Amino acid sequence: MPPTLAPLILLGYASMFGTSIDRYLFEPNTPQLELRTGYAGIGGYINAIPTGLYAGGIHYGFLHTISDKWGVSFIPHFGVSHTDHMIAALPSYTQFDVGAGVYAIYEHLVVGINTSHWSNGNAVFNWGESAGRQNVGINMVVLQMGYVF
C-alpha cells in the first residue's frame, strides 16, 4: 500500500437527499472531484461540484490493513462549505460541512462511499436569531473512486 499521507484524488457522483430535521431543496445529482492528503491519520480535503458547491476542512483516517495490498479506511471529516450562488436549502453562502466515508484500498486504487451534511449547524448550536428554528441544510451521499499517488 502507498504511504498514508500520499495525495489521493477521487472522482464521484453526488446524490442529494433530505431528512426530517433539515429543510432542503434537491440540487441536481452531479459529479464531484475531491482531493485528500491521504487515507490514514490526520489530513485535509477539498472538493468541488460543478454546480458551484465547494467544501474543505480536516479529516482523520482510521486504517485497517488487511494485507500488503488491501486496506479499509473509515474517514470522518469536518470543515466548511461554500456556494457561489444562493440555494434555497442553505441560509447563506458559507456553511458547516460534517460527514464520513468508508473506503476500500487496493494498492493505489480506492473505491468508497462518503456522506456530507452542509448546514448552518442550528440543530447543534441553536444560534441566536435562529434559536428554535429548524436546521437548514442539505445532505449528500457520494460514490467515489480514485487513485493514491
Side-chain angles (χ1 to χ4, degrees), residues 13-135:
Y13 188 77
S15 182
M16 310 295 174
F17 65 95
T19 68
S20 60
I21 65 166
D22 297 310
R23 182 176 57 118
Y24 65 94
L25 181 68
F26 288 96
E27 284 285 307
N29 297 334
T30 183
Q32 181 196 54
L33 174 65
E34 184 163 337
L35 302 172
R36 289 186 175 266
T37 56
Y39 53 86
I42 195 158
Y45 71 96
I46 56 171
N47 62 47
I49 293 176
T51 57
L53 305 173
Y54 311 97
I58 59 170
H59 67 82
Y60 193 91
F62 298 90
L63 176 65
H64 174 69
T65 302
I66 298 169
S67 72
D68 290 347
K69 296 183 179 186
W70 282 96
V72 176
S73 187
F74 171 69
I75 307 176
H77 68 264
F78 177 79
V80 295
S81 64
H82 181 77
T83 64
D84 65 4
H85 61 287
M86 285 305 294
I87 297 175
L90 300 173
S92 67
Y93 290 102
T94 304
Q95 311 293 316
F96 290 106
D97 171 29
V98 63
V102 176
Y103 301 90
I105 303 146
Y106 176 74
E107 292 185 338
H108 290 269
L109 302 176
V110 180
V111 175
I113 187 167
N114 184 28
T115 61
S116 284
H117 171 75
W118 294 6
S119 79
N120 61 0
N122 197 48
V124 175
F125 299 109
N126 202 21
W127 302 111
E129 289 183 22
S130 300
R133 289 172 49 212
Q134 196 171 25
N135 190 46

